[in-house]
Amino acid sequence: MRVLQGIPVSSGIVIGHVFVLDHDPHRVARWTVGADRVEAELERLDRAFADAIAAIDEVYAEASDEMGVEAAKIFLFHKGMLADPSLIGPIREMIRHERVNAEHAVVVAFDALAEAFRRAKDSAFRTKTDDIRDLTNRLLDHLMGSGPARLADLLHPTVIVATDLTPSQTAGFDRDKVVGFVTDLGGRTSHTAIVATALGYPAVVGCRGATAAAKPGQTVIVDGDRGLILLDPDEAEITKYRGYIEQQRTYKLSLAEVAGLPSVTRDGVPITLLGNVEFPEECDSILAQGGEGVGLYRSEFLYLSQDTIPTEEDHYLAYADCVRRLDGLPLTVRTVDLGSDKYASSDRRPRERNPALGLRSIRYSLADKPKFQKQLRAVLRASALGPVKIMFPMVTTVGELRHAKMVLRDVMEDLEEEGVAFDRGIRVGVMIEVPSAALIAGSLAAEVDFFSIGTNDLVQYTLAVDRTNEQVAGLYQPVHAGVLQLIRGVVRAAAKEGDIEVSCCGEAAGEIDYALLLIGLGLRRLSVPGSAISHLKRLVRSVTVQQCERVARKVRTFDSEIQAAAYLRDRTRKLVPEAFDGRAAELRD
Ligand code: PEP
Ligand code: MG
């Protein structure tokens, strides 16, 4: 048995069989094919291409059903590449003339293609290198795999082990077979992690050495609560973990009872619990968990899951779908937050030296007004169907916010002139996710109807810690006194400078310890992954605001984040023991 520690990003435990998704191309052997075997080798190659195309067709059909046609379009692009004769032609030539095995010829050809893409002046090509890696792996699966090594043939509950995964890969897994995943790279709030939570896969990221250590077909336990993976576990561990799984099942059942109850503290203060979504389909689970609407729709996922730039209609259909599913509850559409770690394959910009500090989020939208206007038109049109709010991400100055609002006003005037219906009183908000915005919250409050504090980025920018980098994950501390001071300042400014609504929508708000702290800091609205809603509702119903405030006051006095986190954990456990029964209690020991 081998135990590896990574970063827990999506809760739950699964026991499954390893499927190593990444083939290290350098480990693919080269051998010479006898003259009489060349034709057979070419046939093997053709079959692998045909099988890969058929498998993509299936993935496309399933992904369209589960995530919608737009989100599944990336697979059409993959299919188009494999069907292009200029790709397979040189591979066939190599096998025929150099008499090498098909795997080797595939790796050489795709390596050359990836290199050409990487060097291309046009950044649209450079962003395609991940897709080429995807396709190389897919072809190698069909050439080298047999039995359980082929994803399409998997019979068992399967755990994907990979160096890294893209959101489209994660969303494309067959959810009847794949039960969890583990990656070597990534941080707690990287967007692969966010997709894992959205789709309900227990997951561990930043688990260095996992791909090298895991063997195809091996039994693995993924402990998404503790961030552990156990390769080839012994019987005693399997029995212990089966017990945990049972405890979790019972706990989830008990949460179902809470879902329909009001989210009110013991002393009668309502705490609004909303959901974060990346795909419209997720709205259903937000409602099922007892959420009161969507506090954050990450609209950039429209760009990330398709190869072409979304049209106004693409935007509109997605928002209208959410509004319909939410059935009268509010939808907050955040305008696209592209850049940093989220690049659309249709993006044609040159690569930036420091993308987290570059042309991302609202800066990106303001730099491409026609694209921005298209999105705003769609959001406004959807606002005629039900309650919709607009939120601008990563605003750093008042000028930037005014600029965005001016574009919105222009779009409203156009729609008026065209006689298109929309909500003229649509509420407009900003994300507070950089220290400068938090520090000028008073001025921003005068300009908007609401704030949403994004701790994922606020922590990253306040502490100068890359949220996607597993090497500095230990420094990523949402309880840092500096972060808490900023949050407190924002809550106060929101109340003082305009009495506007303020919520928190970072991943940390979904953790019960941190949610308790946020309530203590004055927050009354939390927007969290759907899976966390009923868990938080139980917390809310078990505490008084005064208790939360006392805890928050104390946490802010620690100069060590480790001590602050330990104190917070300890107090939360004492105040809400019912949220820690069974397995959860053991986790906290
Ligand atoms: C955040 O930064 O906290 C946030 C919610 O936005 P995202 O995770 O999409 O950057
Ligand atoms: Mg953010």
Side-chain angles (χ1 to χ4, degrees):
M1 179 169 84
R2 186 145 177 215
V3 181
L4 297 178
Q5 176 76 57
I7 303 165
V9 291
S10 185
S11 159
I13 299 164
V14 285
I15 304 176
H17 294 266
V18 166
F19 181 88
V20 182
L21 189 62
D22 296 62
H23 290 275
D24 178 353
H26 305 290
R27 284 191 296 191
V28 169
R30 175 192 194 280
W31 65 86
T32 305
V33 175
D36 58 332
R37 296 283 312 147
V38 168
E39 280 312 312
E41 198 62 13
L42 288 171
E43 266 173 37
R44 205 162 74 83
L45 177 79
D46 292 344
R47 205 166 42 246
F49 266 76
D51 287 351
I53 288 173
I56 290 173
D57 276 340
E58 271 176 39
V59 175
Y60 172 71
E62 276 166 27
S64 309
D65 281 353
E66 284 189 12
M67 295 155 37
V69 174
E70 286 310 317
K73 269 189 184 163
I74 186 72
F75 300 112
L76 290 184
F77 166 70
H78 285 189
K79 182 182 166 179
M81 274 194 83
L82 285 189
D84 185 346
S86 68
L87 184 66
I88 194 168
I91 303 176
R92 298 185 104 256
E93 285 301 293
M94 190 173 176
I95 296 174
R96 189 170 278 127
H97 292 116
E98 296 182 28
R99 291 191 13 221
V100 288
N101 55 315
E103 293 83 346
H104 176 71
V106 162
V107 168
V108 170
F110 276 77
D111 267 359
L113 189 63
E115 190 50 31
F117 274 31
R118 249 191 303 275
R119 286 169 186 273
K121 285 214 179 66
D122 187 337
S123 68
F125 285 105
R126 293 202 298 274
T127 59
K128 293 279 185 286
T129 48
D130 277 353
D131 294 283
I132 293 175
R133 196 188 60 180
D134 258 18
L135 288 174
T136 315
N137 289 336
R138 197 178 268 288
L139 280 170
L140 291 178
D141 280 344
H142 288 280
L143 284 167
M144 300 162 70
S146 64
R150 289 182 54 177
L151 199 48
D153 295 341
L154 295 172
L155 297 173
H156 307 288
T158 297
V159 170
I160 304 288
V161 181
T163 307
D164 202 2
L165 291 168
T166 63
S168 76
Q169 277 177 309
T170 314
F173 295 140
D174 178 344
R175 283 159 75 184
D176 288 336
K177 291 175 182 164
V178 173
V179 293
F181 70 78
V182 179
T183 59
D184 294 349
L185 306 180
R188 190 180 289 274
T189 59
S190 57
H191 66 264
T192 303
I194 287 169
V195 172
T197 312
L199 298 176
Y201 290 123
V204 176
V205 304
C207 193
R208 279 189 258 173
T211 324
K215 295 193 180 55
Q218 190 175 39
T219 300
V220 59
I221 297 174
V222 180
D223 183 339
D225 296 311
R226 273 196 280 205
L228 292 179
I229 67 163
L230 290 76
L231 293 165
D232 205 9
D234 54 35
E235 269 312 311
E237 286 294 339
I238 292 180
T239 309
K240 188 166 91 186
Y241 270 91
R242 287 217 170 103
Y244 290 154
I245 291 172
E246 189 45 35
Q247 283 172 16
Q248 286 193 332
R249 207 181 60 81
T250 317
Y251 182 65
K252 273 199 185 139
L253 283 178
S254 75
L255 283 183
E257 292 161 14
V258 181
L261 300 175
S263 176
V264 181
T265 59
R266 267 179 38 220
D267 49 346
V269 179
I271 306 290
T272 307
L273 298 178
L274 305 152
N276 295 347
V277 301
E278 289 72 41
F279 309 106
E281 291 75 3
E282 287 177 79
C283 293
D284 299 348
S285 63
I286 302 295
L287 296 192
Q289 290 258 339
E292 296 172 61
V294 167
L296 168 66
Y297 176 17
R298 291 184 163 98
S299 67
E300 63 277 8
F301 274 77
L302 274 174
Y303 286 76
L304 298 176
S305 46
Q306 69 179 55
D307 190 44
T308 51
I309 299 171
T311 61
E312 180 183 326
E313 212 50 25
D314 291 335
H315 281 284
Y316 174 73
L317 290 175
Y319 309 146
D321 192 7
C322 290
V323 172
R324 187 175 47 77
R325 288 171 193 268
L326 288 171
D327 196 21
L329 292 175
L331 167 72
T332 311
V333 180
R334 177 177 73 182
T335 60
V336 295
D337 183 13
L338 288 169
S340 193
D341 67 333
K342 290 179 269 192
Y343 280 93
S345 52
S346 52
D347 200 335
R348 281 157 212 290
R349 290 182 290 150
R351 187 175 281 278
E352 296 173 280
R353 274 190 299 278
N354 208 340
L357 304 182
L359 194 64
R360 75 167 281 205
S361 298
I362 194 67
R363 301 170 184 178
Y364 173 91
S365 292
L366 291 175
D368 188 341
K369 221 173 278 169
K371 213 186 264 174
F372 190 33
Q373 286 166 329
K374 199 164 58 182
Q375 170 164 41
L376 294 175
R377 280 179 68 91
V379 181
L380 286 169
R381 283 172 56 204
S383 73
L385 309 173
V388 173
K389 302 179 190 180
I390 294 186
M391 178 158 74
F392 300 123
M394 218 185 111
V395 165
T396 53
T397 69
V398 175
E400 206 167 35
L401 171 60
R402 289 191 181 139
H403 190 174
K405 281 172 58 185
M406 193 181 75
V407 180
L408 179 66
R409 266 196 310 274
D410 288 348
V411 172
M412 284 178 162
E413 275 172 26
D414 290 347
L415 291 177
E416 296 252 15
E417 273 172 29
E418 292 167 35
V420 177
F422 66 93
D423 173 8
R424 284 171 180 72
I426 191 164
R427 298 174 79 76
V428 178
V430 277
M431 294 216 38
I432 304 290
E433 48 185 348
V434 289
S436 69
L439 294 168
I440 59 160
S443 312
L444 294 172
E447 301 273 337
V448 290
D449 300 308
F450 66 94
F451 285 160
S452 190
I453 302 173
T455 49
N456 298 342
D457 277 312
L458 189 60
V459 173
Q460 155 164 274
Y461 291 122
T462 305
L463 305 183
V465 178
D466 180 349
R467 60 190 267 193
T468 67
N469 184 342
E470 70 286 350
Q471 298 183 72
V472 288
L475 298 173
Y476 190 92
Q477 293 287 355
V479 291
H480 190 288
V483 175
L484 302 185
Q485 202 169 317
L486 290 176
I487 294 176
R488 197 157 157 263
V490 172
V491 174
R492 288 186 161 182
K496 196 163 147 239
E497 307 294 333
D499 196 16
I500 62 166
E501 228 171 49
V502 53
S503 64
C504 179
C505 62
E507 302 304 296
E511 290 162 20
I512 60 167
D513 310 7
Y514 206 74
L516 186 145
L517 176 59
L518 289 173
I519 296 170
L521 290 172
L523 279 142
R524 299 292 177 263
R525 297 172 71 83
L526 304 176
S527 189
V528 298
S531 53
I533 292 177
S534 39
H535 197 46
L536 287 195
K537 199 176 275 189
R538 172 169 279 185
L539 160 83
V540 168
R541 294 177 59 81
S542 310
V543 292
T544 64
V545 164
Q546 229 181 33
Q547 286 172 327
C548 298
E549 284 172 350
R550 261 202 302 272
V551 172
R553 264 197 303 276
K554 177 77 182 173
V555 169
R556 288 175 34 233
T557 63
F558 288 99
D559 55 12
S560 147
E561 296 75 53
I562 311 270
Q563 283 172 6
Y567 168 80
L568 181 58
R569 201 165 49 225
D570 188 53
R571 288 304 300 155
T572 312
R573 187 173 169 184
K574 290 209 170 87
L575 288 172
V576 205
E578 62 274 29
F580 296 91
D581 37 348
R583 151 89 177 150
E586 192 171 319
L587 274 177
R588 303 282 159 161
D589 288 336

